[in-house]
Amino acid sequence: MLRALARVDLGAISSNCALLKRTVGHGTLLCAVVKADGYGHGAVQVAHAALTGGAEWLAVATAAEATELRASEIEVPVLVMGALSDEELQVAVDARADVVAWRHRFVERLGALPGAEGIGVHVKFDTGMGRLGTRDAEEAFGVASEVAASQRLRLVGAMTHFATADDDPGFMRIQLDSFTPWAQTVRDAFGGVLVHAANSAATLCEPASHFDLVRCGVAVYGMDPFQADPAARGLVPALELWSYVAEVKPAAVGDTVGYGRRFVARHATWIATLPIGYADGFRRGLSDNAEVLIAGRRHPLVGTVSMDNITVDLGPAPSEPAGIRGAPAVLLGREGGERILAEDWARRLGTINYEVTCAISPRVPRAYSGNGA
Ligand SMILES: *Cc1c(COP(=O)(O)O)cnc(C)c1O
């Protein structure tokens, strides 16, 4: 028994990728996004499982993340989607990763780096996200021309990114309407360019966004991009978070539990302590605002989430509940007929499921099952 354990089902990752491949059909490549250590699931393990499930490409946010994939003998194309300083750009080049460009200066610097021979470049047209990329279609086309004309670099992709694919299809359409003709111009001018735009939400709800490749992250992990029940779309959550009952004791009327004495027993009850806390990613915002499955039953978390412990009200009982000491506890995942989703935490925390799994800290070991793990 471990104080905290994230169990990752790699079979779920593969099956989610297979579902995404079926969604896009032939002629569209699946790029599995494994940035942020695979949304907290473990980038290398997820990458291998995603490739087993039919993904052909991988994407990360940083150059160091690309290096990590290459170190695990991953040879498929890897796209670094994030901004790259000079220092980081050299790391990406050394990892033989593709990079994203939208400025003339960047292409110049890239072309001059040692080892840049043959590096793939994806040109980014900002159609409304307002972060990276250029909003100027002509500038984006110019950068594509420059890469295509370069002796050292390869023009591989033409891309954009949606700001509202998960909650405002109207604005996504506006972005799509500005991207589509631009991408067609690039395609016409330079053969063989991969056009891509869709994240998970767009992949699942807008076939016109699929183009040559889709970049799916959250759905790969079996989480719902629309913050609904992933099962409704056939997605299988890959991650479970476990702890166990390390201590059980009675609380008499008036006894208090935890920092700030936020829990005061109104009636005699039994309190279990689980040795997992906010330093593990069990967010403090879940204080007095979560449930835990123990022996297949839901129990309310009570009191403040500490750095290393949480406390759970097991309810009144004449004596210590039999078998409770040392019992496994499910914080995310299923037990019996019950389940707790990252989407449930997200709703309680006022955030999104992405942040829930990304927050599970390195202090929590990951255990892998499925897919020959
Ligand atoms: C993270 C990211 C994705 C994946 O988004 P999901 O919503 O997790 O599918 C796709 N494209 C870019 C540019 C990203 O940064």
Side-chain angles (χ1 to χ4, degrees), residues 75 115 150 181 211-212 349:
E75 274 153 27
S150 140
F211 298 105
D212 303 318
L349 287 163

Side-chain angles (χ1 to χ4, degrees), residues 33 35 39 81 124 131 159-161 197-201 215-219 225 354:
V33 178
K35 62 192 178 189
Y39 293 41
M81 301 183 296
K124 187 163 197 176
R131 303 182 314 190
M159 66 186 286
T160 195
H161 190 40
N199 55 6
S200 297
R215 307 183 306 265
C216 296
V218 76
Y354 300 65

Side-chain angles (χ1 to χ4, degrees), residues 20-21 24-30 56 209-214:
L20 292 164
K21 279 296 291 181
V24 296
H26 294 294
T28 298
L29 299 166
L30 173 62
E56 293 99 344
S209 73
H210 293 172
F211 298 105
D212 303 318
L213 176 147
V214 292

Side-chain angles (χ1 to χ4, degrees), residues 24-342:
V24 296
H26 294 294
T28 298
L29 299 166
L30 173 62
C31 175
V33 178
V34 300
K35 62 192 178 189
D37 200 26
Y39 293 41
H41 294 61
V44 165
Q45 290 83 356
V46 166
H48 286 283
L51 297 173
T52 302
E56 293 99 344
W57 275 69
L58 297 170
V60 291
T62 74
E65 290 171 338
T67 306
E68 188 193 5
L69 295 179
R70 290 293 184 231
S72 85
E73 285 165 30
I74 283 173
E75 274 153 27
V76 300
V78 172
L79 172 63
V80 176
M81 301 183 296
L84 293 162
S85 68
D86 285 359
E87 204 175 325
E88 292 159 346
L89 188 51
Q90 184 67 61
V91 174
V93 165
D94 293 344
R96 311 305 300 160
D98 285 17
V99 299
V100 179
W102 57 91
R103 296 270 182 240
H104 165 71
R105 288 279 301 279
F106 179 90
V107 174
E108 247 182 9
R109 277 189 313 175
L110 172 61
L113 287 180
E117 202 76 59
I119 289 296
V121 176
H122 301 237
V123 175
K124 187 163 197 176
F125 176 28
D126 176 9
T127 56
M129 178 59 124
R131 303 182 314 190
L132 306 177
T134 169
R135 287 193 192 262
D136 180 341
E138 274 179 42
E139 181 177 24
F141 185 86
V143 169
S145 313
E146 188 188 355
V147 174
S150 140
Q151 301 296 311
R152 302 196 78 198
L153 306 174
R154 282 181 307 126
L155 179 65
V156 173
M159 66 186 286
T160 195
H161 190 40
F162 296 121
T164 65
D166 56 334
D167 67 354
D168 178 2
F171 189 69
M172 180 179 64
R173 276 261 38 123
I174 291 172
Q175 287 195 258
L176 203 48
D177 288 346
S178 97
F179 179 66
T180 307
W182 175 82
Q184 192 55 48
T185 319
V186 176
R187 226 205 274 270
D188 290 346
F190 319 103
V193 173
L194 292 174
V195 172
H196 52 103
N199 55 6
S200 297
T203 300
L204 292 170
C205 73
E206 180 49 270
S209 73
H210 293 172
F211 298 105
D212 303 318
L213 176 147
V214 292
R215 307 183 306 265
C216 296
V218 76
V220 164
Y221 306 94
M223 294 188 286
D224 187 79
F226 310 97
Q227 306 299 313
D229 182 349
R233 297 180 180 274
L235 296 169
V236 185
L239 183 139
E240 295 195 333
L241 183 62
W242 290 66
S243 182
Y244 79 102
V245 177
E247 183 54 80
V248 190
K249 49 197 173 192
V253 174
D255 281 356
T256 61
V257 172
Y259 284 118
R261 307 180 70 199
R262 252 167 93 156
F263 176 75
V264 182
R266 303 271 168 234
H267 53 77
T269 190
W270 290 83
I271 299 291
T273 300
L274 279 44
I276 186 169
Y278 62 76
D280 301 293
F282 195 101
R283 300 264 309 275
R284 195 167 175 281
L286 294 170
S287 295
D288 275 324
N289 186 23
E291 289 176 324
V292 168
L293 307 179
I294 301 172
R297 285 188 47 206
R298 278 177 191 273
H299 296 282
L301 180 147
V302 291
T304 309
V305 172
S306 324
M307 189 183 289
D308 315 307
N309 293 286
I310 57 174
T311 40
V312 173
D313 187 356
L314 299 175
S319 58
E320 180 180 309
I324 200 78
R325 211 166 270 274
V330 177
L331 313 179
L332 284 174
R334 335 174 136 261
E335 215 197 3
E338 298 284 349
R339 57 176 197 162
I340 298 174
L341 297 169

